[in-house]
Amino acid sequence: MSTDLKTEPAPEPGRTQGRFDGVLREIVMGNTLVAVLSVVLAVVVGSLMILLTDETVRETAGYIGARPSDFLNAMWTAISDAYTALFNGAIYNTNVDGFETRIRPLTETLKYAGPLILAGLGVGLAFRAGLFNIGGRGQMLLAGAAAGWVGVGMDLPLALHLPLAVLAGALAGALWAGLAGFLKAQAGAHEVIVTIMLNYVGYYLVFYALSKQGLLQAPGSLNPKSQPMPESVILPKLLGDRFNLHAGFLLALAAVGVVWWLLNKSAMGFRFRAVGENPDAARASGIDVGRTYITVMLIAGGLVGLAGVNQILGTATSGVTVDLDAGIGFDAITVALLGRSRPLGILAAGLLFGALKAGSFSMAAAEGIPVEIVLVIQSLIVLFIAAPPLVRAIFRLPKEATA
Amino acid sequence: MTDTKITVPVDESAEPAVVPLRAALKAPIMLGIVTMLVALLVGFKARPGKTTFRLGTDSDFFDLPEITVPSTATVATVVVLLAAITAASAFVVSRGRRTPLWLVAVFAVVAMTGFLAWAAAGKTVPVIGLLAGSIALAVPLVFGALGGVLGERAGVVNIAIDGQLLFGAFAAAMFGTIAGSPWGGLAAAMLAGALVALVLGFFAITYFVDQVIVGVVLNVLVIGLTSFLFGQVLAEHPQELNAPDHFERIAIPVLGQIPVVGPVLFRQTILVYLMYAAVAVVAWALYRTRWGLRVRAVGEHPKAADTVGIKVNRTRYTTLLIAGLIAGAGGATYTLVSVPQFGEEMTDGAGYIALAAVIFGRWDPVRATLAALLFGFATNLSGVLSVIGSPVPSQFMLMLPYVVTIIAVAGLVGHSRAPAADGVPYRKG
């Protein structure tokens, strides 16, 4: 990347846009090989962590001089057991009988991938316009609360109730993110700080609604939790009641298509990308940058909101809680970065992280490896992908030709 | 990198004599809004009864009496005072000057007194406990904010403060237990903070990766790492690895016996005294030493700094490492003070609050410290009010610091300007 494309920070209120040029170019122009190698590197580090903390490996290391084969065996067992458990939990379980039970893990992977893709699209779309949306948690919470409120507060037939609840959730997420876009456009408030703060404000708002009788709290209950969702708003199961996979995944696939069309085929998407590439040039050529910020944040928040809807109406239908985001709002950032903010890339990244998530539970159950190892692997993947020269140096690849 | 705009490093302490009216008007307008809000409290939600403020403790030089005031009359008096201060602010602004910070501080204290008189009607407010607890809660925020200020003044945005705090807390618990001394834990915490800073620098300075992304990802990495190690190692051997000795409160002789001030400021743990020292040293070093001048030059105009022979990236690395040591010390507060034990994700995003304090405090160590103390106060206030029973739902009290930050960042409170080269990697040539 040639350095003369690094723009000087623009004057207020848009001065903070300049700092994102670099990463956006990295995301857009990095190549697939680096992405694959980054995953490999991260998995290697993850394996080292498993080895270093494995009891048997440490014990056998104590007498490595006397019997090195024990040590090597223990290492092999620790690693292969861990990844076998991961595979069994994420793709295809070889330990059980019957094709239907064996393939069940794959459907779990798809279930976890759905909200990651939706929220990843929300973060990625904002990236393309040069905005960093860290507010996924707050947007998901408000969306989940809004959808849940429509769910328990109204009594309608399924054909009306479900779409209304989905819409309410998307709208709540859109408005919450749009607030950050508005403040950026009007007052130059940095969207990173504002979205982080809105996460907390949203959390306490939903917490308040959940602890207040007459708002969202289940009648007669003292817990900060709403009533379970009624049948008429629950996203239908895709493969029958034996599998947890629900229509939220279809929602995610549809969103991938819509965002792809929006970014690549529509005038609005062109404006997003133009503002993301260079807000000053976009402004000079007549694009209303401030309004673009507001629009892109509204749509991004709507997409993240759909991830919240996916949770409350599909995955966790037992009631709205303040934990309904399940960390997806932050995982979405890594999904968007790994997918280089391209809709199809985000689809692939969401599937990969969904598989890691599904597999991590089986690793924890079978091998006692804490599920947080997935966080480590995910964040390392993103760090490595963001620094292609580092990955190239580690694997001794030739330097990429400068753009 | 083509630098066309020359920015003169701005001395934060020197306010321009004449400020644009529109910017200066924000202060009296905000004060007026708060005054109206307090007036609405007494007008529509008056709470009869008397409020007691307890100011003394048992071991002061002399005892201060408890002050009992009628709630509604006090709030009414407060509204009059607030209106007077607002008028004074408007007068100052009409003369072409900015509202002085001390006037805003007086306003805040008066408004808070009115709010407490209203909220605690019929109850007793433990003023000492409220203030002393605020300082204790603010310690990690202050250390984190100081680290953030240093990094950003050198031109490196540090979103990873939360990771530094969390890793510091983890290291303090583990190595404090192994070393058998909280001092060992503190040293480990500082090194852990510096380690996170080193990784941040490695990616942000050496590999030009976007600093905001590295910061966010590092936070996730530290959460993953510490939770993994906690589940895999610490939880298996809690006695051997996760039971550090903790720092005791030390009352400073004489100073500790001054009424109000003593129990609030000088009957704290050693970490609080270290915090006082850190604030003073960082403020002095940043503004009064050759090193501080270099740091600021590198953050404002790296190319100019490079031209006069300052090694830009080396200065950024060393500053970032020092900032990491400081932020890491803040992390030790979590595991070496009240509950000497590490728990998963125990910082609960405090690093983001510290980051907000950096911006709220306009990248100045002393102002950032005050902002951090304000956040500590807001947090403790919601705790105290929920104990004595408050008419305001605790969630709204807890929300307050974040709302205030949004307002501050949106520029309603005052003009804030980041160091010019903040977040921009320096590429030579």
Side-chain angles (χ1 to χ4, degrees):
Chain A
M1 167 160 57
S2 61
T3 50
D4 56 353
L5 285 172
K6 284 295 291 179
T7 47
E8 177 75 15
E12 299 276 5
R15 66 160 288 279
T16 45
Q17 291 138 7
R19 68 171 62 158
F20 292 120
D21 289 2
V23 72
L24 290 173
R25 296 187 66 83
E26 295 284 350
I27 290 164
V28 174
M29 294 174 56
N31 69 37
T32 316
L33 181 65
V34 171
V36 173
L37 292 178
S38 300
V39 175
V40 171
L41 266 181
V43 170
V44 168
V45 176
S47 310
L48 282 177
M49 284 176 54
I50 294 175
L51 288 180
L52 285 174
T53 53
D54 187 86
E55 289 282 342
T56 328
V57 172
R58 271 185 298 174
E59 273 168 32
T60 50
Y63 55 92
I64 184 168
R67 297 183 61 182
S69 63
D70 276 12
F71 176 65
L72 293 174
N73 272 335
M75 284 204 347
W76 170 248
T77 315
I79 292 296
S80 67
D81 282 1
Y83 289 113
T84 308
L86 184 74
F87 181 81
N88 283 339
I91 313 287
Y92 189 79
N93 190 350
T94 51
N95 295 336
V96 290
D97 291 326
F99 180 72
E100 269 196 31
T101 20
R102 286 186 163 192
I103 202 70
R104 195 168 187 282
L106 188 62
T107 67
E108 288 291 300
T109 290
L110 297 182
K111 182 190 83 178
Y112 287 119
L116 288 172
I117 294 167
L118 284 166
L121 285 171
V123 176
L125 187 68
F127 260 135
R128 293 294 286 271
L131 294 181
F132 202 157
N133 178 12
I134 315 192
R137 187 179 187 210
Q139 290 149 29
M140 279 185 73
L141 277 175
L142 279 170
W149 183 73
V150 170
V152 296
M154 296 181 186
D155 195 14
L156 296 165
L158 176 93
L160 212 61
H161 206 177
L162 177 58
L164 196 64
V166 172
L167 211 63
L171 196 67
L175 290 177
W176 205 240
L179 186 56
F182 173 79
L183 288 175
K184 168 133 188 141
Q186 289 297 317
H190 198 312
E191 79 280 0
V192 169
I193 304 293
V194 174
T195 50
I196 289 172
M197 295 302 134
L198 284 178
N199 280 342
Y200 290 97
V201 178
Y203 172 87
Y204 287 118
L205 268 183
V206 173
F207 195 178
Y208 172 73
L210 286 173
S211 352
K212 183 99 178 153
Q213 289 287 331
L215 278 176
L216 259 178
Q217 192 176 38
S221 162
L222 290 174
N223 296 325
K225 187 170 183 180
S226 80
Q227 280 177 296
M229 294 301 116
E231 280 297 323
S232 57
V233 287
I234 290 180
L235 290 161
K237 296 259 199 280
L238 290 182
L239 300 169
D241 285 340
R242 297 186 53 188
F243 298 97
N244 291 325
L245 185 63
H246 53 78
F249 186 69
L250 296 183
L251 205 60
L253 289 183
V256 171
V258 170
V259 173
W260 183 86
W261 178 85
L262 179 75
L263 272 175
N264 297 310
K265 299 287 170 198
S266 75
M268 188 193 275
F270 176 77
R271 285 197 293 273
F272 290 173
R273 286 183 288 135
V275 170
E277 287 285 324
N278 187 336
D280 293 327
R283 190 179 286 115
S285 51
I287 295 175
D288 186 338
V289 174
R291 224 171 88 189
T292 307
Y293 283 149
I294 298 176
T295 321
V296 79
M297 283 307 274
L298 282 171
I299 301 176
L303 288 163
V304 179
L306 284 178
V309 168
N310 174 92
Q311 291 302 100
I312 186 63
L313 302 184
T315 306
T317 54
S318 63
V320 181
T321 66
V322 284
D323 303 318
L324 78 90
D325 65 300
I328 293 163
F330 274 97
D331 290 347
I333 300 167
T334 41
V335 170
L337 291 171
L338 179 60
R340 293 198 224 129
S341 299
R342 308 283 181 125
L344 293 176
I346 290 169
L347 175 65
L351 288 172
L352 175 67
F353 282 10
L356 284 175
K357 205 165 195 172
S360 72
F361 293 120
S362 110
M363 274 208 304
E367 304 298 321
I369 296 167
V371 293
E372 286 85 5
I373 185 131
V374 170
L375 286 183
V376 177
I377 293 179
Q378 284 176 357
S379 45
L380 285 175
I381 291 176
V382 175
L383 273 185
F384 289 133
I385 280 192
L390 176 65
V391 177
R392 287 172 188 283
I394 292 173
F395 287 98
R396 304 192 189 286
L397 293 175
K399 280 193 182 129
E400 192 179 21
T402 48
Chain B
M1 168 155 187
T2 49
D3 276 335
T4 47
K5 185 183 68 177
I6 305 295
T7 324
V8 181
V10 174
D11 183 359
E12 294 280 334
S13 57
E15 298 278 355
V18 179
V19 289
L21 186 65
R22 194 166 165 271
L25 264 179
K26 283 172 179 169
I29 290 173
M30 285 301 290
L31 298 187
I33 292 173
V34 175
T35 308
M36 287 208 312
L37 287 178
V38 180
L40 285 178
L41 278 186
V42 69
F44 288 99
K45 277 267 193 182
R47 290 159 56 85
K50 290 181 188 303
T51 310
T52 306
F53 293 90
R54 192 191 303 138
L55 295 173
T57 59
D58 298 334
S59 47
D60 297 338
F61 282 133
F62 52 88
D63 281 339
L64 287 174
E66 292 191 344
I67 303 171
T68 305
V69 292
S71 168
T72 307
T74 310
V75 183
T77 317
V78 160
V79 170
V80 173
L81 282 173
L82 294 183
I85 297 176
T86 308
S89 162
F91 175 73
V92 170
V93 169
S94 73
R95 302 286 296 268
R97 292 184 168 277
R98 210 179 262 283
T99 310
L101 191 64
W102 64 264
L103 196 65
V104 179
V106 170
F107 181 91
V109 171
V110 174
M112 189 44 67
T113 312
F115 176 75
L116 283 173
W118 172 78
K123 314 265 175 50
T124 300
V125 183
V127 177
I128 303 298
L130 181 61
L131 294 177
S134 305
I135 290 191
L137 280 177
V139 175
L141 303 180
V142 171
F143 277 114
L146 285 177
V149 166
L150 274 182
E152 301 218 7
R153 287 310 279 261
V156 183
V157 173
N158 185 1
I159 306 250
I161 298 173
D162 200 51
Q164 294 178 319
L165 290 177
L166 187 60
F167 209 33
F170 177 85
M174 186 163 152
F175 291 99
T177 316
I178 293 173
S181 145
W183 290 101
L186 179 62
M190 295 176 73
L191 289 177
L195 185 66
V196 176
L198 189 66
V199 179
L200 174 68
F202 181 69
F203 281 97
I205 299 173
T206 307
Y207 280 101
F208 313 121
V209 181
D210 180 88
Q211 298 170 1
V212 176
I213 287 179
V214 185
V216 171
V217 172
L218 274 180
N219 286 339
V220 179
L221 181 63
V222 172
I223 288 177
L225 209 58
T226 52
S227 299
F228 175 83
L229 292 173
F230 176 78
Q232 193 80 326
V233 184
L234 258 56
E236 305 277 317
H237 310 280
Q239 278 311 309
E240 295 85 357
L241 292 173
N242 194 12
D245 289 337
H246 61 103
F247 286 116
E248 302 287 347
R249 272 172 199 279
I250 305 167
I252 294 185
V254 186
L255 287 177
Q257 264 100 51
I258 304 170
V260 187
V261 176
V264 171
L265 295 180
F266 300 111
R267 288 187 210 166
Q268 302 271 13
T269 62
I270 188 78
L271 285 172
V272 175
Y273 304 131
L274 281 176
M275 174 185 88
Y276 300 153
V279 175
V281 169
V282 168
W284 173 76
L286 203 53
Y287 294 122
R288 297 274 178 270
T289 66
R290 180 203 291 264
W291 174 79
L293 184 65
R294 288 183 171 177
V295 169
R296 287 180 291 140
V298 161
E300 290 290 344
H301 201 307
K303 189 150 201 165
D306 196 5
T307 316
V308 296
I310 299 171
K311 299 240 183 320
V312 173
N313 285 343
R314 187 195 285 176
T315 309
R316 286 187 170 173
Y317 259 113
T318 48
T319 313
L320 207 54
L321 286 178
I322 293 169
L325 291 171
I326 296 173
T333 321
Y334 289 97
T335 44
L336 296 179
V337 181
S338 50
V339 186
Q341 195 180 8
F342 180 79
E344 291 178 55
E345 297 184 48
M346 68 187 309
T347 58
D348 196 24
Y352 290 110
I353 310 292
L355 184 69
V358 171
I359 294 166
F360 200 9
R362 294 191 227 164
W363 292 271
D364 170 78
V366 175
R367 287 205 188 104
T369 301
L370 293 176
L373 288 171
L374 197 66
F375 287 146
F377 179 76
T379 312
N380 199 36
L381 179 66
S382 66
V384 169
L385 282 183
S386 70
V387 169
I388 63 176
S390 137
V392 184
S394 64
Q395 289 91 356
F396 286 99
M397 296 302 307
L398 289 165
M399 202 187 286
L400 200 64
Y402 310 103
V403 176
V404 169
T405 306
I406 292 175
I407 294 172
V409 173
L412 296 176
V413 167
H415 171 76
S416 64
R417 184 186 142 280
D422 204 9
V424 186
Y426 183 65
R427 295 162 200 256
K428 217 171 158 79

